[in-house]
Amino acid sequence: MLKYAYNMLVYGTEPIELGIARLAKFGYDYAEIVGEPTEISAAQYGQALSKHNMPVSSIVSIYTPERDLVSSNPAIRANTVAYIKGNVDFAAELGAKIVTLTPTACMKIKPEVDIEQEWAWAVAGAREAAQYAFDHGVRLALEPWNRYESYLVNRLDQSIRMVDEVDNPGIGVMADTFHMSIEDKDIPGAIRSAGKRLAHVHLADSNRAAPGEGFLDFTPIVEAIRDVNYQGVCSFELLPAAGDIWGVLQGGKAPEFLDPYTESAIKYMKNIEKSLGMSDVK
């Protein structure tokens, strides 16, 4: 039986309690929240989480040009490690077990220097952050992004390579089915190749909408997740098809990502579990 979360990033600027109440209403096991602890503290989440008995599974890190593990500017690299450590502290305070990590700033698609040097910087920064995470009972999840959002780690085999080079129990690989639908030839096979390294899963269809809204076949994906004995959480990270994603979300212009997709996503996946005879699915 899989455990499910929903990334509250897509709820935009609505009050925190409304989003958490929505997750509780539709039977989610966890909330997944954005890692900006200087903007919204753990205490601000605490009351709503307690009211609805909703734990936090994971913290999604936001990688801006000032948060780039492979920047040619050493101050930016240091700032990025500090940001990840801050999200680890945030996770530990909330009881979350996962913090996401991607080595480049989002939408940075060209290296600044030799790519092998950037890879080495990424490994070094991830190793420092992973040790900090391990010391605080948290695990980093290294997420590949597709070629239109990054250039260094695009596929799951690249994430596996980097995690193996970091060689620390405080980091594992992350599978995101949207990115994988662009970059990985065989999504279930890639998940199986991760094996025990699999630390976190993001679910979204080929168009980044709720499962069932695109062309991905999630049955073999669920089978692969089951086959590697994954014990973590599967979180829906859904985003609108728009050039200005943040403007759409902040402006409340994607209402389908509220109740409609929050409800349909978990129902769709639980129906797949039921069809596969997975235990305790009703």
Side-chain angles (χ1 to χ4, degrees), residues 161-277:
R161 176 191 161 199
M162 185 170 287
V163 164
D164 285 350
E165 288 188 27
V166 172
D167 191 24
N168 187 291
I171 189 169
V173 305
M174 178 170 164
D176 182 306
T177 58
F178 166 70
H179 295 298
M180 295 179 79
S181 73
I182 298 172
E183 301 294 348
D184 286 275
K185 183 178 180 180
D186 176 3
I187 296 176
I191 290 172
R192 288 189 176 93
S193 71
K196 64 181 181 181
R197 304 179 191 86
L198 188 64
H200 196 48
V201 174
H202 270 172
L203 299 173
D205 216 319
S206 57
N207 51 6
R208 223 167 193 174
E213 298 293 329
F215 60 69
L216 281 181
D217 183 355
F218 280 89
T219 297
I221 293 171
V222 171
E223 290 177 312
I225 292 169
R226 177 195 62 190
D227 290 350
V228 300
N229 194 30
Y230 176 62
Q231 299 297 307
V233 175
C234 295
S235 179
F236 299 99
E237 186 185 64
L238 315 177
L239 292 171
D244 180 16
I245 289 175
W246 307 116
V248 170
L249 294 179
Q250 300 307 316
K253 298 174 184 176
E256 68 273 22
F257 289 83
L258 302 177
D259 274 20
Y261 281 175
T262 307
E263 180 178 19
S264 70
I266 193 168
K267 281 186 175 180
Y268 187 90
M269 296 305 296
K270 285 192 172 184
N271 281 337
I272 289 176
E273 288 189 78
K274 185 176 181 181
S275 74
L276 293 172

Side-chain angles (χ1 to χ4, degrees), residues 10-107:
V10 79
Y11 293 161
T13 57
E14 78 168 13
I16 292 167
E17 184 173 336
L18 292 182
I20 293 171
R22 181 181 293 115
L23 299 184
K25 177 173 68 173
F26 292 126
Y28 281 81
D29 304 292
Y30 295 90
E32 180 171 80
I33 62 178
V34 177
E36 295 289 1
T38 61
E39 297 179 13
I40 305 178
S41 69
Q44 288 173 281
Y45 280 101
Q47 186 174 0
L49 291 166
S50 296
K51 179 178 179 180
H52 297 283
N53 194 29
M54 179 64 61
V56 177
S57 62
S58 37
I59 307 298
V60 174
S61 304
I62 305 298
Y63 293 96
T64 64
E66 294 75 33
R67 298 168 182 168
D68 181 358
L69 275 183
V70 299
S71 171
S72 58
N73 184 335
I76 290 178
R77 298 199 302 273
N79 178 68
T80 308
V81 172
Y83 167 69
I84 297 168
K85 289 180 178 179
N87 276 347
V88 168
D89 293 337
F90 189 45
E93 190 173 357
L94 287 165
K97 297 301 182 183
I98 294 292
V99 169
T100 67
L101 184 156
T102 299
T104 63
C106 188
M107 309 310 294

Side-chain angles (χ1 to χ4, degrees), residues 102 104 108-109 145-154:
T102 299
T104 63
K108 179 184 177 183
I109 58 172
W145 286 345
N146 70 74
R147 71 192 73 178
Y148 307 109
E149 297 182 32
S150 183
Y151 59 90
L152 191 66
V153 178
N154 301 125

